[in-house]
């Protein structure tokens, strides 16, 4: 956003304009959608005797969405799979789902939450690892306290036929 301002030269200095802010009143937004706001000098907090000649752009569009929460399943992410000749026979993550919160479209598009990377390169038999959940979408966050998840798996040697 660019503002063209005018006023006494002593009032238009970097130190006087350092705290400049453009404030848009969104109190009229009552539901999801795209809203257009006209930008004028009254939106800028300026020092005394300084006024806005023009803004560029003269309008801004903002998209608003409802914030929603939902349960998302937790999927394991592997740093290293089992070594050659072994496989994950079965696994369980406890809890199997976590609550996420964020913009409705992002939350609805989220298929799952991932664990921290799990290294199974030397695993054999029963494996139990404490991991944290990671939400791959930066606009979606875990809701509530960040709990440690427990990943339990059985890694077995492949049978030769």
């Amino acid at each position: 956003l660019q503002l063209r301002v005018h006023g006494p030269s002593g009032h238009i200095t970097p130190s006087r304009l350092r705290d400049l802010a453009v404030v848009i009143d969104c109190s009229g937004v009552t539901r999801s959608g795209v809203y257009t706001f006209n930008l004028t000098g009254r939106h800028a907090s300026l020092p005394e005797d300084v006024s806005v000649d023009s803004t560029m752009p003269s309008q801004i569009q903002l998209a608003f969405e409802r914030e929603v929460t939902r349960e998302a399943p937790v999927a394991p992410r592997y740093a290293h799979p089992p070594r050659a000749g072994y496989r994950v026979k079965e696994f369980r993550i406890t809890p199997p789902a976590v609550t996420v919160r964020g913009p409705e479209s992002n939350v609805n598009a989220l298929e799952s939450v991932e664990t921290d990377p799990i290294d199974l390169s030397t695993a054999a038999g029963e494996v139990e690892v404490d991991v944290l959940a990671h939400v791959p979408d930066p606009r979606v966050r875990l809701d509530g306290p960040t709990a440690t998840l427990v990943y339990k798996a059985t890694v077995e040697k492949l049978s030769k036929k």
Side-chain angles (χ1 to χ4, degrees), residues 45-114:
S45 59
L46 296 167
E48 278 186 51
D49 299 330
V50 176
S51 59
V52 174
D53 286 335
S54 65
T55 61
M56 192 168 97
S58 62
Q59 294 182 318
I60 189 169
Q61 285 191 323
L62 300 175
F64 292 84
E65 287 190 65
R66 286 184 328 133
E67 184 176 68
V68 298
T69 60
R70 78 166 173 91
E71 292 291 306
V74 179
R77 182 172 46 149
Y78 297 106
H80 303 286
R83 63 187 178 269
Y86 286 79
R87 73 177 181 106
V88 176
K89 178 181 177 186
E90 60 187 1
F91 73 88
R92 183 173 74 243
I93 298 173
T94 307
V98 294
T99 304
V100 295
R101 173 184 296 272
E104 188 171 25
S105 63
N106 295 74
V107 169
N108 290 342
L110 186 69
E111 292 181 24
S112 64
V113 169
E114 301 174 329

Side-chain angles (χ1 to χ4, degrees), residues 6-7 9 18 20 24 29 46 56 59 65 73 77 85 90 106 119 127 129 131 136 146 149 152 155 160:
H6 74 272
S9 61
R18 177 181 47 237
L20 173 69
I24 299 172
V29 175
L46 296 167
M56 192 168 97
Q59 294 182 318
E65 287 190 65
R77 182 172 46 149
E90 60 187 1
N106 295 74
D119 183 359
V127 176
V129 181
V131 292
T146 305
L149 308 172
K152 291 183 180 180
V155 178
K160 295 183 180 186

Side-chain angles (χ1 to χ4, degrees), residues 30-31 33 38 40 45 54-55 73 75 84 102 113 119 121 125-126 139 155:
T30 57
R31 51 184 170 206
N38 293 318
T40 64
S45 59
S54 65
T55 61
V113 169
D119 183 359
S121 62
E126 301 298 317
R139 296 185 70 201
V155 178

